[in-house]
């Protein structure tokens, strides 16, 4: 269970290659455990570029695909065939290669516009905890599509989804799971690679009020050496 007020656990690897190998192994291990314990594996996937290498390893490593249920942590309000859609990235790198039933792959209908898509997605989310939530980290400390200066939906029971109209990262219109809904999970993994993430990690370590730190209490953070702030001891 995700602890409420504990610090994140930092897992530093030499490079992205090593992270994607170990992270893919951890995801498939957790899937097997959840399926053995609860009969199914409910996974929230991250968007962006960093998780691609991990997703690309899963077709050869995963099992019991009939028991997997996939949700998106956020999506960009673009047409479904747009190469910048997270759903297209997931399909191309992983989901089109494995027999997860179509009804268990829950895509955010972001082409419908931010508020309509947020309303529809809220209606399909399960009441129970996710088994695992995967999240990326933005240079400014954003995660999913929860950006500094915005409402992140931390109040338990508030809407599980948020519509964003002016995101700091293109495209401006997005849909995101809220902070409390992302934390309603058994486990939470962050993934951060590259020197571009050093400032965000440093802010997190300083305890600053950034979205990733607020969502990431008690999380496991997988990062490469390049993302760890040079000024800090490893
Ligand atoms: C998105 C993401 C976003 C992403 C970070 C990191 O749709 O843009 O969900 O939160 O995870 O911006 O992106 P990179 O992995 O590409 O650096």
């Amino acid at each position: 269970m995700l602890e409420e007020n504990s610090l994140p656990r930092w897992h530093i690897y030499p490079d992205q290659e090593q992270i994607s190998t170990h992270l893919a192994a951890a995801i498939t291990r957790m899937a097997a455990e959840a399926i053995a314990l609860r009969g199914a594996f409910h996974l929230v996937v991250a968007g962006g570029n960093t998780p691609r290498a991990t997703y690309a390893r899963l077709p050869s490593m995963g099992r019991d695909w009939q028991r997997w249920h996939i949700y998106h942590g956020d999506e960009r309000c673009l047409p479904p065939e747009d190469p910048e859609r997270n759903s297209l990235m997931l399909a191309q790198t992983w989901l089109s290669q494995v027999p997860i039933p179509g009804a268990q792959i829950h895509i955010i209908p972001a082409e419908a516009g931010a508020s309509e898509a947020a309303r529809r997605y809220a209606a399909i989310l399960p009441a129970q905890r996710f088994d695992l939530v995967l999240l990326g980290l933005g240079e400014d400390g954003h995660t999913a599509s929860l950006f500094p200066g915005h409402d992140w939906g931390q109040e338990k029971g508030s809407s599980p989804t948020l519509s964003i109209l002016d995101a700091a990262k293109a495209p401006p219109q997005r849909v995101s799971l809220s902070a409390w809904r992302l934390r309603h999970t058994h486990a939470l993994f962050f993934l951060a690679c590259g020197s571009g993430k050093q400032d965000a990690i440093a802010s997190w370590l300083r305890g600053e009020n950034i979205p990733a730190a607020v969502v990431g209490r008690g999380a496991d953070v997988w990062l490469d050496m390049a993302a760890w702030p040079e000024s800090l001891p490893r």
Side-chain angles (χ1 to χ4, degrees), residues 23-36 38-45 54-55 57-71 90 94-95 98-106 128 130-132 134:
L23 182 54
I27 293 168
T28 49
R29 191 172 54 248
M30 293 180 80
E33 285 162 11
I35 291 166
R38 292 180 283 272
F41 180 55
H42 291 261
L43 171 68
V44 174
V45 292
T54 298
Y55 296 148
R57 281 173 169 71
L58 290 172
S60 62
M61 298 171 74
R63 299 280 172 284
D64 289 329
W65 295 111
Q66 302 298 327
R67 306 291 188 124
W68 291 55
H69 298 252
I70 306 293
Y71 307 86
L90 263 290
W94 168 28
L95 300 177
V98 296
I100 297 174
Q104 291 167 212
I105 297 176
H106 304 285
Q128 90 238 33
F130 296 121
D131 293 296
L132 176 61
L134 300 177

Side-chain angles (χ1 to χ4, degrees), residues 10 46 56 74 83 93 97-98 216 227:
W10 307 93
D74 72 328
T93 54
Q97 301 160 51
V98 296

Side-chain angles (χ1 to χ4, degrees), residues 9-25:
R9 289 173 292 277
W10 307 93
H11 310 281
I12 307 176
Y13 289 84
D15 55 37
Q16 184 158 3
E17 176 80 17
Q18 294 233 11
I19 285 189
S20 48
T21 304
H22 287 89
L23 182 54

